[in-house]
mmCIF file of all heavy atoms in Angstrom:
data_model
loop_
_atom_site.group_PDB
_atom_site.id
_atom_site.type_symbol
_atom_site.label_atom_id
_atom_site.label_comp_id
_atom_site.label_asym_id
_atom_site.label_seq_id
_atom_site.Cartn_x
_atom_site.Cartn_y
_atom_site.Cartn_z
ATOM 1 N N PRO A 114 6.772 9.997 22.131
ATOM 2 C CA PRO A 114 6.241 10.520 23.387
ATOM 3 C C PRO A 114 7.139 10.173 24.557
ATOM 4 O O PRO A 114 7.945 9.237 24.487
ATOM 5 C CB PRO A 114 4.880 9.828 23.513
ATOM 6 C CG PRO A 114 5.074 8.533 22.788
ATOM 7 C CD PRO A 114 6.021 8.827 21.648
ATOM 8 N N ARG A 115 6.999 10.923 25.625
ATOM 9 C CA ARG A 115 7.800 10.654 26.821
ATOM 10 C C ARG A 115 7.220 9.460 27.561
ATOM 11 O O ARG A 115 6.071 9.489 28.000
ATOM 12 C CB ARG A 115 7.824 11.889 27.720
ATOM 13 C CG ARG A 115 8.805 11.794 28.878
ATOM 14 C CD ARG A 115 8.978 13.150 29.539
ATOM 15 N NE ARG A 115 9.959 13.125 30.606
ATOM 16 C CZ ARG A 115 10.396 14.216 31.242
ATOM 17 N NH1 ARG A 115 9.927 15.402 30.887
ATOM 18 N NH2 ARG A 115 11.284 14.126 32.199
ATOM 19 N N GLY A 116 7.997 8.389 27.671
ATOM 20 C CA GLY A 116 7.528 7.175 28.314
ATOM 21 C C GLY A 116 7.898 7.110 29.783
ATOM 22 O O GLY A 116 8.621 7.976 30.305
ATOM 23 N N PRO A 117 7.399 6.096 30.479
ATOM 24 C CA PRO A 117 7.692 5.939 31.904
ATOM 25 C C PRO A 117 9.198 5.835 32.156
ATOM 26 O O PRO A 117 9.903 5.088 31.475
ATOM 27 C CB PRO A 117 6.993 4.618 32.254
ATOM 28 C CG PRO A 117 5.941 4.443 31.202
ATOM 29 C CD PRO A 117 6.519 5.036 29.965
ATOM 30 N N GLY A 118 9.676 6.608 33.108
ATOM 31 C CA GLY A 118 11.075 6.555 33.480
ATOM 32 C C GLY A 118 12.014 7.313 32.561
ATOM 33 O O GLY A 118 13.223 7.340 32.816
ATOM 34 N N MET A 119 11.485 7.942 31.515
ATOM 35 C CA MET A 119 12.337 8.677 30.579
ATOM 36 C C MET A 119 12.700 10.048 31.131
ATOM 37 O O MET A 119 11.826 10.779 31.620
ATOM 38 C CB MET A 119 11.651 8.865 29.222
ATOM 39 C CG MET A 119 11.593 7.624 28.351
ATOM 40 S SD MET A 119 10.884 7.976 26.711
ATOM 41 C CE MET A 119 12.198 8.968 25.983
ATOM 42 N N GLU A 120 13.961 10.383 31.104
ATOM 43 C CA GLU A 120 14.396 11.731 31.430
ATOM 44 C C GLU A 120 14.198 12.609 30.201
ATOM 45 O O GLU A 120 14.072 12.118 29.072
ATOM 46 C CB GLU A 120 15.875 11.730 31.827
ATOM 47 C CG GLU A 120 16.198 10.887 33.034
ATOM 48 C CD GLU A 120 15.705 11.526 34.329
ATOM 49 O OE1 GLU A 120 15.434 12.752 34.316
ATOM 50 O OE2 GLU A 120 15.575 10.796 35.326
ATOM 51 N N ARG A 121 14.193 13.910 30.394
ATOM 52 C CA ARG A 121 14.010 14.815 29.258
ATOM 53 C C ARG A 121 15.130 14.640 28.232
ATOM 54 O O ARG A 121 14.902 14.703 27.029
ATOM 55 C CB ARG A 121 13.953 16.270 29.743
ATOM 56 C CG ARG A 121 13.671 17.260 28.607
ATOM 57 C CD ARG A 121 13.380 18.645 29.134
ATOM 58 N NE ARG A 121 13.163 19.587 28.061
ATOM 59 C CZ ARG A 121 12.034 19.739 27.396
ATOM 60 N NH1 ARG A 121 11.001 18.968 27.685
ATOM 61 N NH2 ARG A 121 11.910 20.644 26.442
ATOM 62 N N LYS A 122 16.349 14.389 28.707
ATOM 63 C CA LYS A 122 17.464 14.202 27.784
ATOM 64 C C LYS A 122 17.269 12.958 26.915
ATOM 65 O O LYS A 122 17.674 12.923 25.751
ATOM 66 C CB LYS A 122 18.782 14.107 28.547
ATOM 67 C CG LYS A 122 18.888 12.912 29.482
ATOM 68 C CD LYS A 122 20.245 12.874 30.182
ATOM 69 C CE LYS A 122 20.363 11.660 31.093
ATOM 70 N NZ LYS A 122 21.681 11.601 31.767
ATOM 71 N N ASP A 123 16.617 11.910 27.486
ATOM 72 C CA ASP A 123 16.328 10.706 26.708
ATOM 73 C C ASP A 123 15.323 11.003 25.604
ATOM 74 O O ASP A 123 15.451 10.502 24.481
ATOM 75 C CB ASP A 123 15.775 9.603 27.618
ATOM 76 C CG ASP A 123 16.751 9.210 28.721
ATOM 77 O OD1 ASP A 123 17.968 9.229 28.450
ATOM 78 O OD2 ASP A 123 16.297 8.897 29.831
ATOM 79 N N LEU A 124 14.327 11.819 25.937
ATOM 80 C CA LEU A 124 13.316 12.211 24.953
ATOM 81 C C LEU A 124 13.941 13.035 23.835
ATOM 82 O O LEU A 124 13.649 12.826 22.651
ATOM 83 C CB LEU A 124 12.197 13.003 25.639
ATOM 84 C CG LEU A 124 11.032 13.442 24.746
ATOM 85 C CD1 LEU A 124 10.270 12.230 24.227
ATOM 86 C CD2 LEU A 124 10.094 14.372 25.510
ATOM 87 N N LEU A 125 14.816 13.966 24.209
ATOM 88 C CA LEU A 125 15.488 14.803 23.211
ATOM 89 C C LEU A 125 16.350 13.959 22.276
ATOM 90 O O LEU A 125 16.361 14.182 21.062
ATOM 91 C CB LEU A 125 16.350 15.861 23.910
ATOM 92 C CG LEU A 125 15.606 16.978 24.631
ATOM 93 C CD1 LEU A 125 16.572 17.804 25.470
ATOM 94 C CD2 LEU A 125 14.882 17.870 23.631
ATOM 95 N N THR A 126 17.048 12.998 22.838
ATOM 96 C CA THR A 126 17.908 12.141 22.021
ATOM 97 C C THR A 126 17.098 11.307 21.042
ATOM 98 O O THR A 126 17.446 11.191 19.859
ATOM 99 C CB THR A 126 18.738 11.207 22.918
ATOM 100 O OG1 THR A 126 19.557 11.992 23.792
ATOM 101 C CG2 THR A 126 19.628 10.309 22.090
ATOM 102 N N ALA A 127 15.990 10.725 21.521
ATOM 103 C CA ALA A 127 15.147 9.877 20.676
ATOM 104 C C ALA A 127 14.536 10.675 19.533
ATOM 105 O O ALA A 127 14.513 10.232 18.377
ATOM 106 C CB ALA A 127 14.050 9.227 21.518
ATOM 107 N N ASN A 128 14.053 11.871 19.843
ATOM 108 C CA ASN A 128 13.413 12.689 18.811
ATOM 109 C C ASN A 128 14.427 13.320 17.870
ATOM 110 O O ASN A 128 14.118 13.577 16.706
ATOM 111 C CB ASN A 128 12.531 13.763 19.455
ATOM 112 C CG ASN A 128 11.165 13.220 19.845
ATOM 113 O OD1 ASN A 128 10.465 12.634 19.033
ATOM 114 N ND2 ASN A 128 10.794 13.408 21.101
ATOM 115 N N ALA A 129 15.627 13.562 18.366
ATOM 116 C CA ALA A 129 16.662 14.139 17.499
ATOM 117 C C ALA A 129 16.926 13.227 16.311
ATOM 118 O O ALA A 129 17.086 13.693 15.172
ATOM 119 C CB ALA A 129 17.943 14.373 18.293
ATOM 120 N N LYS A 130 16.929 11.919 16.537
ATOM 121 C CA LYS A 130 17.168 10.963 15.459
ATOM 122 C C LYS A 130 16.054 11.028 14.418
ATOM 123 O O LYS A 130 16.295 10.975 13.211
ATOM 124 C CB LYS A 130 17.284 9.549 16.021
ATOM 125 C CG LYS A 130 18.486 9.340 16.936
ATOM 126 C CD LYS A 130 18.500 7.925 17.501
ATOM 127 C CE LYS A 130 19.695 7.729 18.428
ATOM 128 N NZ LYS A 130 19.697 6.363 19.044
ATOM 129 N N ILE A 131 14.809 11.158 14.895
ATOM 130 C CA ILE A 131 13.657 11.233 13.995
ATOM 131 C C ILE A 131 13.726 12.481 13.133
ATOM 132 O O ILE A 131 13.567 12.432 11.901
ATOM 133 C CB ILE A 131 12.337 11.222 14.802
ATOM 134 C CG1 ILE A 131 12.172 9.894 15.539
ATOM 135 C CG2 ILE A 131 11.143 11.495 13.895
ATOM 136 C CD1 ILE A 131 11.010 9.856 16.507
ATOM 137 N N PHE A 132 14.002 13.623 13.758
ATOM 138 C CA PHE A 132 13.956 14.889 13.026
ATOM 139 C C PHE A 132 15.225 15.146 12.225
ATOM 140 O O PHE A 132 15.211 15.938 11.285
ATOM 141 C CB PHE A 132 13.613 16.034 13.985
ATOM 142 C CG PHE A 132 12.170 16.000 14.405
ATOM 143 C CD1 PHE A 132 11.768 15.259 15.502
ATOM 144 C CD2 PHE A 132 11.214 16.664 13.656
ATOM 145 C CE1 PHE A 132 10.428 15.186 15.868
ATOM 146 C CE2 PHE A 132 9.875 16.603 14.006
ATOM 147 C CZ PHE A 132 9.475 15.860 15.113
ATOM 148 N N GLN A 133 16.317 14.479 12.573
ATOM 149 C CA GLN A 133 17.491 14.502 11.701
ATOM 150 C C GLN A 133 17.162 13.842 10.373
ATOM 151 O O GLN A 133 17.466 14.378 9.297
ATOM 152 C CB GLN A 133 18.657 13.757 12.372
ATOM 153 C CG GLN A 133 19.355 14.534 13.473
ATOM 154 C CD GLN A 133 20.384 13.686 14.207
ATOM 155 O OE1 GLN A 133 20.522 12.485 13.952
ATOM 156 N NE2 GLN A 133 21.108 14.284 15.124
ATOM 157 N N LEU A 134 16.537 12.684 10.440
ATOM 158 C CA LEU A 134 16.170 11.942 9.239
ATOM 159 C C LEU A 134 15.150 12.713 8.406
ATOM 160 O O LEU A 134 15.274 12.812 7.176
ATOM 161 C CB LEU A 134 15.603 10.572 9.632
ATOM 162 C CG LEU A 134 15.088 9.687 8.498
ATOM 163 C CD1 LEU A 134 16.213 9.355 7.525
ATOM 164 C CD2 LEU A 134 14.474 8.403 9.057
ATOM 165 N N GLN A 135 14.155 13.277 9.075
ATOM 166 C CA GLN A 135 13.117 13.991 8.341
ATOM 167 C C GLN A 135 13.644 15.291 7.733
ATOM 168 O O GLN A 135 13.279 15.652 6.606
ATOM 169 C CB GLN A 135 11.920 14.256 9.259
ATOM 170 C CG GLN A 135 11.203 12.968 9.648
ATOM 171 C CD GLN A 135 9.972 13.193 10.481
ATOM 172 O OE1 GLN A 135 9.637 14.321 10.856
ATOM 173 N NE2 GLN A 135 9.269 12.111 10.804
ATOM 174 N N GLY A 136 14.502 15.996 8.469
ATOM 175 C CA GLY A 136 15.102 17.210 7.915
ATOM 176 C C GLY A 136 15.943 16.908 6.690
ATOM 177 O O GLY A 136 15.883 17.620 5.678
ATOM 178 N N SER A 137 16.702 15.828 6.757
ATOM 179 C CA SER A 137 17.534 15.423 5.634
ATOM 180 C C SER A 137 16.688 15.045 4.430
ATOM 181 O O SER A 137 17.001 15.396 3.283
ATOM 182 C CB SER A 137 18.424 14.247 6.049
ATOM 183 O OG SER A 137 19.198 13.782 4.967
ATOM 184 N N ALA A 138 15.593 14.318 4.673
ATOM 185 C CA ALA A 138 14.704 13.919 3.578
ATOM 186 C C ALA A 138 14.041 15.128 2.939
ATOM 187 O O ALA A 138 13.923 15.209 1.708
ATOM 188 C CB ALA A 138 13.646 12.947 4.102
ATOM 189 N N LEU A 139 13.612 16.081 3.744
ATOM 190 C CA LEU A 139 13.031 17.311 3.203
ATOM 191 C C LEU A 139 14.047 18.023 2.315
ATOM 192 O O LEU A 139 13.717 18.524 1.232
ATOM 193 C CB LEU A 139 12.594 18.238 4.339
ATOM 194 C CG LEU A 139 11.292 17.889 5.059
ATOM 195 C CD1 LEU A 139 11.185 18.674 6.366
ATOM 196 C CD2 LEU A 139 10.082 18.183 4.171
ATOM 197 N N ASN A 140 15.278 18.071 2.773
ATOM 198 C CA ASN A 140 16.335 18.747 2.024
ATOM 199 C C ASN A 140 16.556 18.084 0.660
ATOM 200 O O ASN A 140 16.871 18.764 -0.332
ATOM 201 C CB ASN A 140 17.627 18.713 2.830
ATOM 202 C CG ASN A 140 18.695 19.629 2.275
ATOM 203 O OD1 ASN A 140 18.536 20.844 2.257
ATOM 204 N ND2 ASN A 140 19.794 19.057 1.812
ATOM 205 N N GLU A 141 16.376 16.778 0.610
ATOM 206 C CA GLU A 141 16.650 16.032 -0.616
ATOM 207 C C GLU A 141 15.501 16.043 -1.609
ATOM 208 O O GLU A 141 15.733 16.110 -2.820
ATOM 209 C CB GLU A 141 17.002 14.581 -0.275
ATOM 210 C CG GLU A 141 18.331 14.426 0.455
ATOM 211 C CD GLU A 141 18.634 12.975 0.797
ATOM 212 O OE1 GLU A 141 18.083 12.083 0.114
ATOM 213 O OE2 GLU A 141 19.380 12.740 1.758
ATOM 214 N N VAL A 142 14.246 15.990 -1.121
ATOM 215 C CA VAL A 142 13.146 15.753 -2.061
ATOM 216 C C VAL A 142 12.019 16.784 -2.053
ATOM 217 O O VAL A 142 11.216 16.821 -2.995
ATOM 218 C CB VAL A 142 12.532 14.349 -1.827
ATOM 219 C CG1 VAL A 142 13.579 13.269 -2.016
ATOM 220 C CG2 VAL A 142 11.897 14.238 -0.444
ATOM 221 N N ALA A 143 11.922 17.624 -1.006
ATOM 222 C CA ALA A 143 10.842 18.616 -0.966
ATOM 223 C C ALA A 143 11.193 19.810 -1.857
ATOM 224 O O ALA A 143 12.345 19.994 -2.252
ATOM 225 C CB ALA A 143 10.600 19.077 0.462
ATOM 226 N N ARG A 144 10.194 20.620 -2.159
ATOM 227 C CA ARG A 144 10.450 21.844 -2.911
ATOM 228 C C ARG A 144 11.287 22.790 -2.055
ATOM 229 O O ARG A 144 11.164 22.824 -0.835
ATOM 230 C CB ARG A 144 9.130 22.512 -3.296
ATOM 231 C CG ARG A 144 8.305 21.715 -4.297
ATOM 232 C CD ARG A 144 7.096 22.499 -4.758
ATOM 233 N NE ARG A 144 6.257 21.725 -5.649
ATOM 234 C CZ ARG A 144 6.468 21.594 -6.954
ATOM 235 N NH1 ARG A 144 7.508 22.209 -7.516
ATOM 236 N NH2 ARG A 144 5.655 20.872 -7.702
ATOM 237 N N ARG A 145 12.125 23.581 -2.686
ATOM 238 C CA ARG A 145 12.979 24.522 -1.952
ATOM 239 C C ARG A 145 12.141 25.514 -1.158
ATOM 240 O O ARG A 145 12.576 26.040 -0.130
ATOM 241 C CB ARG A 145 13.893 25.283 -2.906
ATOM 242 C CG ARG A 145 14.872 24.454 -3.716
ATOM 243 C CD ARG A 145 15.860 23.698 -2.844
ATOM 244 N NE ARG A 145 15.321 22.408 -2.402
ATOM 245 C CZ ARG A 145 15.943 21.558 -1.639
ATOM 246 N NH1 ARG A 145 17.148 21.834 -1.182
ATOM 247 N NH2 ARG A 145 15.397 20.414 -1.297
ATOM 248 N N SER A 146 10.942 25.789 -1.650
ATOM 249 C CA SER A 146 10.071 26.769 -1.001
ATOM 250 C C SER A 146 9.176 26.157 0.066
ATOM 251 O O SER A 146 8.329 26.847 0.637
ATOM 252 C CB SER A 146 9.191 27.451 -2.054
ATOM 253 O OG SER A 146 8.421 26.479 -2.763
ATOM 254 N N CYS A 147 9.353 24.878 0.348
ATOM 255 C CA CYS A 147 8.485 24.161 1.286
ATOM 256 C C CYS A 147 8.452 24.838 2.655
ATOM 257 O O CYS A 147 9.492 25.164 3.230
ATOM 258 C CB CYS A 147 8.957 22.717 1.437
ATOM 259 S SG CYS A 147 7.965 21.728 2.577
ATOM 260 N N LYS A 148 7.249 25.050 3.172
ATOM 261 C CA LYS A 148 7.051 25.594 4.511
ATOM 262 C C LYS A 148 6.827 24.424 5.473
ATOM 263 O O LYS A 148 5.952 23.587 5.248
ATOM 264 C CB LYS A 148 5.851 26.533 4.552
ATOM 265 C CG LYS A 148 5.914 27.698 3.579
ATOM 266 C CD LYS A 148 6.979 28.693 3.969
ATOM 267 C CE LYS A 148 6.829 30.012 3.211
ATOM 268 N NZ LYS A 148 6.891 29.854 1.741
ATOM 269 N N THR A 149 7.610 24.364 6.546
ATOM 270 C CA THR A 149 7.555 23.238 7.476
ATOM 271 C C THR A 149 7.144 23.704 8.861
ATOM 272 O O THR A 149 7.762 24.608 9.428
ATOM 273 C CB THR A 149 8.926 22.534 7.554
ATOM 274 O OG1 THR A 149 9.294 22.064 6.254
ATOM 275 C CG2 THR A 149 8.881 21.367 8.517
ATOM 276 N N LEU A 150 6.101 23.084 9.406
ATOM 277 C CA LEU A 150 5.640 23.367 10.762
ATOM 278 C C LEU A 150 5.880 22.133 11.616
ATOM 279 O O LEU A 150 5.387 21.047 11.308
ATOM 280 C CB LEU A 150 4.148 23.709 10.778
ATOM 281 C CG LEU A 150 3.524 23.892 12.169
ATOM 282 C CD1 LEU A 150 4.129 25.106 12.875
ATOM 283 C CD2 LEU A 150 2.010 24.019 12.080
ATOM 284 N N VAL A 151 6.647 22.295 12.683
ATOM 285 C CA VAL A 151 6.930 21.192 13.598
ATOM 286 C C VAL A 151 5.949 21.251 14.767
ATOM 287 O O VAL A 151 5.885 22.244 15.489
ATOM 288 C CB VAL A 151 8.379 21.257 14.115
ATOM 289 C CG1 VAL A 151 8.636 20.126 15.109
ATOM 290 C CG2 VAL A 151 9.357 21.160 12.947
ATOM 291 N N VAL A 152 5.181 20.172 14.921
ATOM 292 C CA VAL A 152 4.176 20.085 15.976
ATOM 293 C C VAL A 152 4.655 19.166 17.102
ATOM 294 O O VAL A 152 4.391 19.406 18.271
ATOM 295 C CB VAL A 152 2.840 19.571 15.402
ATOM 296 C CG1 VAL A 152 1.779 19.466 16.496
ATOM 297 C CG2 VAL A 152 2.356 20.485 14.278
ATOM 298 N N GLY A 153 5.372 18.100 16.736
ATOM 299 C CA GLY A 153 5.827 17.128 17.729
ATOM 300 C C GLY A 153 6.751 17.744 18.762
ATOM 301 O O GLY A 153 7.706 18.436 18.422
ATOM 302 N N ASN A 154 6.458 17.503 20.029
ATOM 303 C CA ASN A 154 7.239 18.085 21.125
ATOM 304 C C ASN A 154 8.518 17.301 21.421
ATOM 305 O O ASN A 154 8.564 16.091 21.204
ATOM 306 C CB ASN A 154 6.379 18.142 22.397
ATOM 307 C CG ASN A 154 5.415 19.311 22.359
ATOM 308 O OD1 ASN A 154 5.786 20.416 21.985
ATOM 309 N ND2 ASN A 154 4.175 19.049 22.721
ATOM 310 N N PRO A 155 9.567 17.979 21.914
ATOM 311 C CA PRO A 155 9.651 19.433 22.133
ATOM 312 C C PRO A 155 9.802 20.167 20.799
ATOM 313 O O PRO A 155 10.829 20.047 20.124
ATOM 314 C CB PRO A 155 10.897 19.599 23.020
ATOM 315 C CG PRO A 155 11.742 18.403 22.690
ATOM 316 C CD PRO A 155 10.804 17.281 22.357
ATOM 317 N N ALA A 156 8.753 20.885 20.408
ATOM 318 C CA ALA A 156 8.634 21.419 19.052
ATOM 319 C C ALA A 156 9.777 22.361 18.677
ATOM 320 O O ALA A 156 10.299 22.296 17.557
ATOM 321 C CB ALA A 156 7.289 22.130 18.898
ATOM 322 N N ASN A 157 10.169 23.237 19.591
ATOM 323 C CA ASN A 157 11.217 24.203 19.238
ATOM 324 C C ASN A 157 12.555 23.514 18.983
ATOM 325 O O ASN A 157 13.264 23.838 18.029
ATOM 326 C CB ASN A 157 11.338 25.289 20.312
ATOM 327 C CG ASN A 157 11.531 24.717 21.707
ATOM 328 O OD1 ASN A 157 11.417 23.517 21.928
ATOM 329 N ND2 ASN A 157 11.806 25.594 22.661
ATOM 330 N N THR A 158 12.892 22.542 19.822
ATOM 331 C CA THR A 158 14.144 21.803 19.629
ATOM 332 C C THR A 158 14.086 20.947 18.368
ATOM 333 O O THR A 158 15.039 20.902 17.582
ATOM 334 C CB THR A 158 14.431 20.902 20.839
ATOM 335 O OG1 THR A 158 14.471 21.699 22.031
ATOM 336 C CG2 THR A 158 15.753 20.172 20.678
ATOM 337 N N ASN A 159 12.965 20.275 18.151
ATOM 338 C CA ASN A 159 12.812 19.435 16.964
ATOM 339 C C ASN A 159 12.867 20.261 15.679
ATOM 340 O O ASN A 159 13.410 19.806 14.666
ATOM 341 C CB ASN A 159 11.505 18.654 17.038
ATOM 342 C CG ASN A 159 11.505 17.608 18.139
ATOM 343 O OD1 ASN A 159 12.564 17.167 18.585
ATOM 344 N ND2 ASN A 159 10.327 17.209 18.584
#
Side-chain angles (χ1 to χ4, degrees):
R115 189 168 183 172
M119 285 185 70
E120 299 287 342
R121 184 170 178 81
K122 63 179 181 179
D123 300 325
L124 182 65
L125 289 170
T126 300
N128 278 307
K130 295 178 181 178
I131 296 172
F132 287 88
Q133 283 173 355
L134 177 61
Q135 293 184 357
S137 177
L139 283 165
N140 192 64
E141 292 179 23
V142 301
R144 293 187 183 277
R145 299 298 86 181
S146 58
C147 180
K148 303 291 194 301
T149 301
L150 174 65
V151 178
V152 180
N154 281 316
N157 53 351
T158 303
N159 292 338

